PDB file of all heavy atoms in Angstrom:
ATOM      1  N   ILE A 252      80.433 110.469  95.137  1.00 92.00           N
ATOM      2  CA  ILE A 252      81.795 110.557  94.594  1.00 92.00           C
ATOM      3  C   ILE A 252      82.573 111.748  95.183  1.00 92.00           C
ATOM      4  O   ILE A 252      83.695 112.028  94.773  1.00 92.00           O
ATOM      5  CB  ILE A 252      81.824 110.620  93.038  1.00 92.00           C
ATOM      6  CG1 ILE A 252      81.100 111.867  92.520  1.00 92.00           C
ATOM      7  CG2 ILE A 252      81.244 109.367  92.419  1.00 92.00           C
ATOM      8  CD1 ILE A 252      81.352 112.098  91.036  1.00 92.00           C
ATOM      9  N   PHE A 253      81.951 112.399  96.191  1.00 94.00           N
ATOM     10  CA  PHE A 253      82.556 113.617  96.733  1.00 94.00           C
ATOM     11  C   PHE A 253      84.009 113.417  97.187  1.00 94.00           C
ATOM     12  O   PHE A 253      84.909 114.168  96.817  1.00 94.00           O
ATOM     13  CB  PHE A 253      81.702 114.135  97.908  1.00 94.00           C
ATOM     14  CG  PHE A 253      82.308 115.309  98.594  1.00 94.00           C
ATOM     15  CD1 PHE A 253      82.265 116.568  98.009  1.00 94.00           C
ATOM     16  CD2 PHE A 253      82.964 115.170  99.815  1.00 94.00           C
ATOM     17  CE1 PHE A 253      82.854 117.660  98.631  1.00 94.00           C
ATOM     18  CE2 PHE A 253      83.556 116.255 100.439  1.00 94.00           C
ATOM     19  CZ  PHE A 253      83.495 117.495  99.851  1.00 94.00           C
ATOM     20  N   LYS A 254      84.248 112.369  97.984  1.00 95.00           N
ATOM     21  CA  LYS A 254      85.596 112.178  98.539  1.00 95.00           C
ATOM     22  C   LYS A 254      86.615 111.933  97.426  1.00 95.00           C
ATOM     23  O   LYS A 254      87.723 112.454  97.473  1.00 95.00           O
ATOM     24  CB  LYS A 254      85.603 110.987  99.500  1.00 95.00           C
ATOM     25  CG  LYS A 254      84.858 111.227 100.778  1.00 95.00           C
ATOM     26  CD  LYS A 254      84.984 110.004 101.662  1.00 95.00           C
ATOM     27  CE  LYS A 254      83.917 109.951 102.696  1.00 95.00           C
ATOM     28  NZ  LYS A 254      83.813 108.632 103.322  1.00 95.00           N
ATOM     29  N   HIS A 255      86.226 111.148  96.437  1.00 94.00           N
ATOM     30  CA  HIS A 255      87.165 110.843  95.347  1.00 94.00           C
ATOM     31  C   HIS A 255      87.431 112.078  94.487  1.00 94.00           C
ATOM     32  O   HIS A 255      88.541 112.287  94.029  1.00 94.00           O
ATOM     33  CB  HIS A 255      86.650 109.663  94.508  1.00 94.00           C
ATOM     34  CG  HIS A 255      86.714 108.384  95.284  1.00 94.00           C
ATOM     35  ND1 HIS A 255      85.729 108.016  96.162  1.00 94.00           N
ATOM     36  CD2 HIS A 255      87.667 107.430  95.359  1.00 94.00           C
ATOM     37  CE1 HIS A 255      86.060 106.884  96.741  1.00 94.00           C
ATOM     38  NE2 HIS A 255      87.231 106.501  96.270  1.00 94.00           N
ATOM     39  N   GLN A 256      86.375 112.888  94.319  1.00 94.00           N
ATOM     40  CA  GLN A 256      86.556 114.140  93.557  1.00 94.00           C
ATOM     41  C   GLN A 256      87.527 115.061  94.284  1.00 94.00           C
ATOM     42  O   GLN A 256      88.432 115.637  93.686  1.00 94.00           O
ATOM     43  CB  GLN A 256      85.213 114.875  93.446  1.00 94.00           C
ATOM     44  CG  GLN A 256      84.389 114.439  92.264  1.00 94.00           C
ATOM     45  CD  GLN A 256      83.054 115.183  92.256  1.00 94.00           C
ATOM     46  OE1 GLN A 256      82.496 115.515  93.295  1.00 94.00           O
ATOM     47  NE2 GLN A 256      82.532 115.420  91.069  1.00 94.00           N
ATOM     48  N   LEU A 257      87.314 115.155  95.603  1.00 94.00           N
ATOM     49  CA  LEU A 257      88.158 116.041  96.413  1.00 94.00           C
ATOM     50  C   LEU A 257      89.621 115.579  96.355  1.00 94.00           C
ATOM     51  O   LEU A 257      90.536 116.387  96.185  1.00 94.00           O
ATOM     52  CB  LEU A 257      87.644 115.994  97.860  1.00 94.00           C
ATOM     53  CG  LEU A 257      88.091 117.087  98.815  1.00 94.00           C
ATOM     54  CD1 LEU A 257      87.745 118.466  98.296  1.00 94.00           C
ATOM     55  CD2 LEU A 257      87.450 116.881 100.196  1.00 94.00           C
ATOM     56  N   LEU A 258      89.824 114.287  96.459  1.00 95.00           N
ATOM     57  CA  LEU A 258      91.199 113.754  96.410  1.00 95.00           C
ATOM     58  C   LEU A 258      91.845 114.037  95.058  1.00 95.00           C
ATOM     59  O   LEU A 258      93.008 114.429  94.974  1.00 95.00           O
ATOM     60  CB  LEU A 258      91.196 112.244  96.685  1.00 95.00           C
ATOM     61  CG  LEU A 258      92.587 111.626  96.763  1.00 95.00           C
ATOM     62  CD1 LEU A 258      93.303 112.023  98.055  1.00 95.00           C
ATOM     63  CD2 LEU A 258      92.543 110.108  96.662  1.00 95.00           C
ATOM     64  N   LYS A 259      91.048 113.857  93.997  1.00 94.00           N
ATOM     65  CA  LYS A 259      91.570 114.076  92.645  1.00 94.00           C
ATOM     66  C   LYS A 259      92.027 115.532  92.482  1.00 94.00           C
ATOM     67  O   LYS A 259      93.133 115.801  92.004  1.00 94.00           O
ATOM     68  CB  LYS A 259      90.456 113.738  91.638  1.00 94.00           C
ATOM     69  CG  LYS A 259      90.929 113.592  90.234  1.00 94.00           C
ATOM     70  CD  LYS A 259      89.881 112.896  89.378  1.00 94.00           C
ATOM     71  CE  LYS A 259      90.344 112.896  87.940  1.00 94.00           C
ATOM     72  NZ  LYS A 259      89.546 113.695  87.054  1.00 94.00           N
ATOM     73  N   ARG A 260      91.177 116.456  92.913  1.00 94.00           N
ATOM     74  CA  ARG A 260      91.513 117.879  92.780  1.00 94.00           C
ATOM     75  C   ARG A 260      92.719 118.224  93.651  1.00 94.00           C
ATOM     76  O   ARG A 260      93.571 119.017  93.280  1.00 94.00           O
ATOM     77  CB  ARG A 260      90.328 118.768  93.203  1.00 94.00           C
ATOM     78  CG  ARG A 260      89.101 118.574  92.362  1.00 94.00           C
ATOM     79  CD  ARG A 260      89.273 119.088  90.915  1.00 94.00           C
ATOM     80  NE  ARG A 260      88.204 118.575  90.094  1.00 94.00           N
ATOM     81  CZ  ARG A 260      88.361 117.698  89.101  1.00 94.00           C
ATOM     82  NH1 ARG A 260      89.575 117.279  88.765  1.00 94.00           N
ATOM     83  NH2 ARG A 260      87.335 117.249  88.419  1.00 94.00           N
ATOM     84  N   PHE A 261      92.770 117.615  94.813  1.00 92.00           N
ATOM     85  CA  PHE A 261      93.877 117.863  95.730  1.00 92.00           C
ATOM     86  C   PHE A 261      95.206 117.430  95.086  1.00 92.00           C
ATOM     87  O   PHE A 261      96.204 118.152  95.140  1.00 92.00           O
ATOM     88  CB  PHE A 261      93.619 117.099  97.038  1.00 92.00           C
ATOM     89  CG  PHE A 261      94.704 117.273  98.054  1.00 92.00           C
ATOM     90  CD1 PHE A 261      95.156 118.539  98.406  1.00 92.00           C
ATOM     91  CD2 PHE A 261      95.280 116.179  98.670  1.00 92.00           C
ATOM     92  CE1 PHE A 261      96.164 118.709  99.345  1.00 92.00           C
ATOM     93  CE2 PHE A 261      96.287 116.339  99.604  1.00 92.00           C
ATOM     94  CZ  PHE A 261      96.729 117.603  99.945  1.00 92.00           C
ATOM     95  N   LEU A 262      95.188 116.280  94.449  1.00 92.00           N
ATOM     96  CA  LEU A 262      96.418 115.796  93.787  1.00 92.00           C
ATOM     97  C   LEU A 262      96.809 116.737  92.645  1.00 92.00           C
ATOM     98  O   LEU A 262      97.987 116.972  92.406  1.00 92.00           O
ATOM     99  CB  LEU A 262      96.226 114.372  93.257  1.00 92.00           C
ATOM    100  CG  LEU A 262      96.150 113.270  94.316  1.00 92.00           C
ATOM    101  CD1 LEU A 262      95.862 111.933  93.664  1.00 92.00           C
ATOM    102  CD2 LEU A 262      97.427 113.187  95.143  1.00 92.00           C
ATOM    103  N   GLU A 263      95.776 117.274  91.981  1.00 93.00           N
ATOM    104  CA  GLU A 263      96.060 118.186  90.864  1.00 93.00           C
ATOM    105  C   GLU A 263      96.745 119.478  91.320  1.00 93.00           C
ATOM    106  O   GLU A 263      97.623 119.995  90.656  1.00 93.00           O
ATOM    107  CB  GLU A 263      94.752 118.553  90.133  1.00 93.00           C
ATOM    108  CG  GLU A 263      94.299 117.469  89.182  1.00 93.00           C
ATOM    109  CD  GLU A 263      92.880 117.716  88.665  1.00 93.00           C
ATOM    110  OE1 GLU A 263      92.298 118.803  88.905  1.00 93.00           O
ATOM    111  OE2 GLU A 263      92.352 116.801  88.029  1.00 93.00           O
ATOM    112  N   ILE A 264      96.289 119.981  92.504  1.00 89.00           N
ATOM    113  CA  ILE A 264      96.873 121.272  92.923  1.00 89.00           C
ATOM    114  C   ILE A 264      98.122 121.089  93.793  1.00 89.00           C
ATOM    115  O   ILE A 264      98.759 122.065  94.185  1.00 89.00           O
ATOM    116  CB  ILE A 264      95.856 122.192  93.655  1.00 89.00           C
ATOM    117  CG1 ILE A 264      95.311 121.497  94.906  1.00 89.00           C
ATOM    118  CG2 ILE A 264      94.754 122.650  92.742  1.00 89.00           C
ATOM    119  CD1 ILE A 264      94.730 122.504  95.902  1.00 89.00           C
ATOM    120  N   MET A 265      98.479 119.836  94.102  1.00 88.00           N
ATOM    121  CA  MET A 265      99.651 119.592  94.955  1.00 88.00           C
ATOM    122  C   MET A 265     100.930 120.287  94.444  1.00 88.00           C
ATOM    123  O   MET A 265     101.654 120.908  95.232  1.00 88.00           O
ATOM    124  CB  MET A 265      99.859 118.083  95.108  1.00 88.00           C
ATOM    125  CG  MET A 265     100.911 117.708  96.098  1.00 88.00           C
ATOM    126  SD  MET A 265     100.643 118.423  97.726  1.00 88.00           S
ATOM    127  CE  MET A 265      99.941 117.068  98.598  1.00 88.00           C
ATOM    128  N   PRO A 266     101.222 120.247  93.123  1.00 88.00           N
ATOM    129  CA  PRO A 266     102.448 120.924  92.663  1.00 88.00           C
ATOM    130  C   PRO A 266     102.422 122.425  92.957  1.00 88.00           C
ATOM    131  O   PRO A 266     103.448 123.025  93.265  1.00 88.00           O
ATOM    132  CB  PRO A 266     102.449 120.665  91.146  1.00 88.00           C
ATOM    133  CG  PRO A 266     101.580 119.465  90.959  1.00 88.00           C
ATOM    134  CD  PRO A 266     100.550 119.521  92.034  1.00 88.00           C
ATOM    135  N   VAL A 267     101.208 123.047  92.894  1.00 86.00           N
ATOM    136  CA  VAL A 267     101.096 124.481  93.180  1.00 86.00           C
ATOM    137  C   VAL A 267     101.366 124.722  94.676  1.00 86.00           C
ATOM    138  O   VAL A 267     102.107 125.633  95.067  1.00 86.00           O
ATOM    139  CB  VAL A 267      99.684 125.009  92.802  1.00 86.00           C
ATOM    140  CG1 VAL A 267      99.579 126.500  93.045  1.00 86.00           C
ATOM    141  CG2 VAL A 267      99.346 124.650  91.369  1.00 86.00           C
TER     142      VAL A 267
END
Side-chain angles (χ1 to χ4, degrees):
I252 62 169
F253 175 76
K254 290 182 200 165
H255 290 83
Q256 273 178 327
L257 196 57
L258 185 73
K259 194 164 174 247
R260 298 291 166 247
F261 180 51
L262 289 176
E263 280 169 9
I264 59 159
M265 188 55 100
V267 182

